[in-house]
Amino acid sequence: MNAVVDKARRDGKPVDVKGVEPRLLKNLSLDVRVVLAWDADNTDVDLHVIDPNGEEVFYGHNASYQGGAITRDATGGYGPEEFALKLAKPGKYRVEANFYGHRQQVLTSGTGLMLWLSSGFGTPTQQDRRTTIRVRSERGARVVVGEFEVKP
């Protein structure tokens, strides 16, 4: 919400935030933000981010040495799961998704994954990349959804 309010202010279209506690209105910029969502309800897909050190952040290891953190494990619904990193170390990062399972009967053999990758999130230089792929709905199916590099 804070990034939206900040962008609206920069664009000269302020948002009415009178009902929001002022202490909560602070734009928290990030070097890297990764959001993964999917198109099947009652489904569990896990976001994994591997940093330049080879450290993998996911629901079972939700914080990295360099300060990256992942949100709670979304085990039902459409997600999302999010990874955030305030100060990114230069190097290559890989984003993977692991299909864990459905909690309902489905007629399709695949689940659509939507990845939103932001660099400079919440800043005037924010750049976004969006990717959509399909993964087979098979327990344990793991796929690389994207890769990106942080330059020094």
Side-chain angles (χ1 to χ4, degrees):
M1 175 185 81
N2 286 316
V4 171
V5 170
D6 186 62
K7 183 171 181 352
R9 286 180 180 155
R10 285 194 316 265
D11 292 345
K13 302 173 185 172
V15 176
D16 181 6
V17 293
K18 287 183 229 144
V20 178
E21 169 65 43
R23 294 177 297 158
L24 300 176
L25 290 172
K26 180 179 179 188
N27 189 28
L28 302 172
S29 61
L30 301 168
D31 279 355
V32 174
R33 180 175 183 247
V34 177
V35 180
L36 180 71
W38 43 92
D39 68 356
D41 195 9
N42 291 320
T43 299
D44 184 6
V45 178
D46 296 324
L47 172 64
H48 293 249
V49 177
I50 298 94
D51 71 16
N53 296 326
E55 187 173 11
E56 185 171 353
V57 181
F58 64 107
Y59 74 91
H61 179 69
N62 61 3
S64 71
Y65 177 78
Q66 71 166 313
I70 201 161
T71 55
R72 67 168 178 75
D73 186 19
T75 59
Y78 301 94
E81 291 191 8
E82 177 182 349
F83 172 83
L85 181 55
K86 179 83 173 148
L87 298 170
K89 174 183 178 179
K92 292 188 179 188
Y93 292 74
R94 190 171 68 248
V95 180
E96 298 182 357
N98 185 17
F99 179 84
Y100 193 77
H102 291 294
R103 291 204 166 102
Q104 64 183 355
Q105 187 171 356
V106 294
L107 301 175
T108 62
S109 62
T111 299
L113 304 178
M114 291 77 67
L115 177 73
W116 174 16
L117 170 63
S118 297
S119 60
F121 180 78
T123 71
T125 60
Q126 178 174 330
Q127 292 185 2
D128 296 314
R129 283 182 17 208
R130 289 187 166 86
T131 303
T132 303
I133 66 167
R134 196 146 196 88
V135 64
R136 64 185 188 280
S137 296
E138 179 181 299
R139 188 180 180 108
R142 189 157 168 171
V143 63
V144 174
V145 184
E147 295 179 326
F148 61 95
E149 185 171 358
V150 172
K151 306 265 187 199

